[in-house]
Amino acid sequence: DGYEATRRIRALNNPMKSSIPIIAMTANAQAGDREKCLDAGMNDYLTKPIDAEELYITLAQWIAAREQELLNRKD
């Protein structure tokens, strides 16, 4: 499942792969689900049905953060 996949990605010894942004997209919008995703190592959480604007904003945030991380590594 997504929780186990996230844990395995985070457990990799490769910093490039273990820092990949992971965003949960789930129909389970119950109390505690967001925390469960974040505790598993996911970076963010979106609920279905997906709102296109919310998805775009969330992706843009994590893409920008990832780009900055990569630029900092080159310095």
Side-chain angles (χ1 to χ4, degrees):
D1 64 20
Y3 301 110
E4 182 61 24
T6 299
R7 287 185 196 97
R8 288 182 185 203
I9 290 168
R10 296 299 183 227
L12 296 172
N13 288 329
N14 182 331
M16 293 296 289
K17 291 184 181 177
S18 62
S19 66
I20 294 170
I22 299 173
I23 301 169
M25 296 177 77
T26 181
N28 296 330
Q30 300 179 18
D33 285 341
R34 179 180 183 80
E35 291 74 23
K36 186 175 177 183
C37 290
L38 298 177
D39 287 346
M42 297 178 196
N43 300 90
D44 218 326
Y45 173 90
L46 295 172
T47 58
K48 295 178 186 175
I50 298 299
D51 175 281
E53 185 174 349
E54 183 181 9
L55 174 61
Y56 177 80
I57 291 168
T58 302
L59 289 173
Q61 170 192 344
W62 289 106
I63 290 168
R66 180 73 170 152
E67 286 176 344
Q68 187 60 50
E69 179 184 336
L70 293 172
L71 288 173
N72 289 342
R73 288 185 184 188
K74 290 181 182 178
D75 292 339

